[in-house]
Amino acid sequence: MINLVSISKSYRQGNENYKALHEISLTIQAGEFVAIMGPSGSGKSTLINIIGFLDNNFDGQYNFNDTVVNNLNRRDHARLRNQSVGFVFQNFKLIRNQSVGENVGLPLLYAGLKRRDIIARVNDVLEQVGLPGSYDKLPKNLSGGQQQRVAIARAIVTKPNFLVADEPTGALDSATSREIMALFKELNQHGTTVIMVTHDENVARQTNRLIKILDGRLQSDMEVEHADS
Amino acid sequence: MQIRELIISSFRSLISNKRRSILTMIGIIIGIASVITILALGDGARLAMLKNLQADSGGQQSTQITFSPNNSDVKISGFNNEDLARIRSNPKVAKVTVQSDDHGILSSEGTINGKSLSSLVYLATSANDNKILAGRGIKDSDISIDRPVALVNKSIAKKGYRTIRNALNSGIEINGTTYTIIGVIDNNATRGEFYNYDVVVPRHVFETSNATVNANTLKLTFISGTDISKTTNDIKDQLNQMGSQHSSGSYDFYDTAAMLKGVTMVIKGITYFIVAVASISLFIAGIGVMNMMYIAVSERTQEIGIRMAVGASQKQILWQFLIEAVMLTLSGGMIGYLAGLGIAMGISAFLPFKASVSISTFLLAFGTSTIVGLVFGILPAKTASNKNLIDILR
Ligand SMILES: Nc1ncnc2c1ncn2[C@@H]1O[C@H](COP(=O)(O)OP(=O)(O)O)[C@@H](O)[C@H]1O
Ligand SMILES: [Mg+2]
């Protein structure tokens, strides 16, 4: 599904170019549950932003199914982002003065759906992430774990091909982290591809594949051995 | 995303910043309100003037000079044949008609077979069959027993009943009394040399209907292209110097046209001034809108990032902020429009004409405020839509 060929990315820092990714090649199949680990500043977010269609400014080739992502213009890139990926951020990134339901329905609004259809779909998804009946609540009245569930609901509302999460448990305590991981696991077991950046060994251990990054280079890529399997 | 959703979300973000939105709108409100006020008044004055200057059916314009005696008890005629001959010699005057009670001729309103007419009525005190074409004249017996009978001229008969024969024994209403037409007279029936009349009725019958009539009024009709105010004034001055009754009363010309022209000129002058001031006001208001939108864009950078991250295109972000700016100015414009109309109505209560409400001033307010929103909203909206997603989300 996802095929990166020799991806490099440089940032301008002042007058210099800082190379955050060095010729990364990577293939991810549909249905995988992937963890990306590495020290701070190693380029995890940079990589996952490219994979999740947030950043189209890089060298190398990105094939997504039959689409060459790096050839898309800004509008088509935005459409792909809207329809094919769900993004979950560390700090939830919910619009504060909009209700939970409106936040979750936002991608559908940009997809051009009718309000009535959006509301029905949003309520379904909220139930799926364990927040039934919270359409009209405001995000600030929810706990961190609940807010992350809202963010996950927003990510899956368009039934995207894959989910991308950048340290989704980074701002949560360990008990809440476990709940959120359980939710991701469940989504993956129902067929959703999940790619997740994490700092936490315990989190990474629950995935099926672990990719390690150091200084913008792939360090290792291996299957995760589960104690129970 | 649908336009409806864009409008709803713009409206909500304006509402959530109520105070800031209202403060930003004030400039627009003042600008639009002042322009609408002055335009509504100017339009009203112009319409009133047009109505007063309206040419008659022949494209000719007419004025009236009235004579008022110093001693209102005496009945004297302000215009004699000599006066009329002198006025008629003025090459710009097409027609002179005296409407004078002293010659038994009055200008009067009436209807014939449902059609209204204004005619010169000769009030007969004795038998009259002058210039009769058909039917019979008024007899002494008609007068002595106050029979409501009338002679009408050929054109009135035809206007009412198409043919002379139909008109005979039909009715005509004059000043509220209905008369039976017993005879038809020639169109140029006159008393003396200048006193045309169209209709003859018995005086006593007419007077019992308590008619209000113009006495001592001279009606002047001019050839087209004449400066009627000036010419009438000249004739009036001449009459006051050497008119037959210049020593026992005064000849007056109430120039409604000139008065309205004056008002219109003043309003026109004020209009230019107000429009200039309002343009500056709108410009400054526009800068205010731009400023507010820039603040909104930078305050809501995170929101913009989130919207982009879930798939909003640049165009959709641009429209969101543009529509927000336009809604702001448009609401201001509509409030300003209503305020302007209110003020204009208030002012015109003290003026001799009514402020006019027209669709064009509404469109002007609508258009101007929309344009201000578009012009001053486009740059902030561009800034919003050009934001770099990666930089926002970092
Ligand atoms: N927008 C940016 N502009 C400049 N430098 C950046 C930007 N984003 C990341 N970097 C740099 O790129 C490197 C990798 O960053 P990042 O991908 O965020 O690392 P990680 O997510 O693994 O902590 C870091 O050194 C960071 O300073
Ligand atoms: Mg990071």
Side-chain angles (χ1 to χ4, degrees), chain A residues 39-108:
Chain A
S40 201
S42 57
K44 305 181 297 292
S45 295
T46 303
L47 177 63
I48 210 163
N49 286 345
I50 291 172
I51 293 176
F53 309 131
L54 294 185
D55 187 1
N56 208 16
N57 184 17
F58 55 84
D59 298 322
Q61 178 151 341
Y62 178 3
N63 303 303
F64 173 70
N65 292 330
D66 295 331
T67 311
V68 181
V69 177
N70 44 289
N71 287 348
L72 296 179
N73 60 27
R74 249 185 111 149
R75 200 184 77 217
D76 292 339
H77 195 240
R79 185 174 300 151
L80 199 60
R81 190 185 313 143
N82 179 242
Q83 288 169 3
S84 304
V85 70
F87 218 108
V88 178
F89 300 91
Q90 177 176 357
N91 49 5
F92 324 134
K93 296 235 182 278
L94 301 175
I95 298 179
R96 268 183 292 151
N97 52 12
Q98 295 200 344
S99 74
V100 165
E102 285 167 326
N103 268 288
V104 175
L106 204 57
L108 297 179

Side-chain angles (χ1 to χ4, degrees), chain B residues 131-161:
Chain B
K131 300 228 174 177
I132 195 109
L133 297 175
R136 64 172 179 90
I138 294 177
K139 294 181 191 149
D140 279 330
S141 60
D142 294 324
I143 287 173
S144 59
I145 63 166
D146 288 344
R147 201 176 275 155
V149 291
L151 307 180
V152 302
N153 72 11
K154 204 163 108 187
S155 62
I156 290 180
K158 285 196 167 163
K159 179 179 179 180
Y161 298 102

Side-chain angles (χ1 to χ4, degrees), chain B residues 100-106 121-124 191 197 199 201 203:
Chain B
S100 162
D101 191 27
D102 293 304
H103 293 86
I105 293 177
L106 294 163
V121 181
Y122 169 44
L123 305 176
R191 295 252 308 147
Y197 58 86
V199 177
V201 298
R203 179 167 203 133

Side-chain angles (χ1 to χ4, degrees), chain A residues 11 49 54-55 74-75 78-79 81-82 87 89 93-95 97-99 102 106-107 109-110 112-115 154, chain B residues 1-2 4-5 8 12 16 302-303 306-314 316-317 320 385-387 389-390 392-393:
Chain A
Y11 289 114
N49 286 345
L54 294 185
D55 187 1
R74 249 185 111 149
R75 200 184 77 217
R79 185 174 300 151
R81 190 185 313 143
N82 179 242
F87 218 108
F89 300 91
K93 296 235 182 278
L94 301 175
I95 298 179
N97 52 12
Q98 295 200 344
S99 74
E102 285 167 326
L106 204 57
L109 213 55
Y110 286 114
L113 265 69
K114 291 211 181 68
R115 183 159 276 254
R154 183 181 62 194
Chain B
M1 183 151 65
Q2 288 159 338
R4 209 176 79 97
E5 300 299 336
I8 291 172
R12 286 199 353 194
S16 70
Q302 275 303 310
E303 181 193 321
I306 293 167
R307 287 177 183 274
M308 285 178 164
V310 301
S313 67
Q314 278 183 292
Q316 284 165 327
I317 298 291
Q320 184 191 340
S385 71
N386 280 334
K387 281 194 184 284
L389 180 54
I390 295 303
I392 298 177
L393 294 178

Side-chain angles (χ1 to χ4, degrees), chain A residues 122-141:
Chain A
V122 167
N123 280 322
D124 283 355
V125 178
L126 282 174
E127 199 168 324
Q128 200 182 338
V129 299
L131 293 170
S134 42
Y135 190 100
D136 291 318
K137 288 181 186 161
L138 278 178
K140 65 171 181 219
N141 297 329

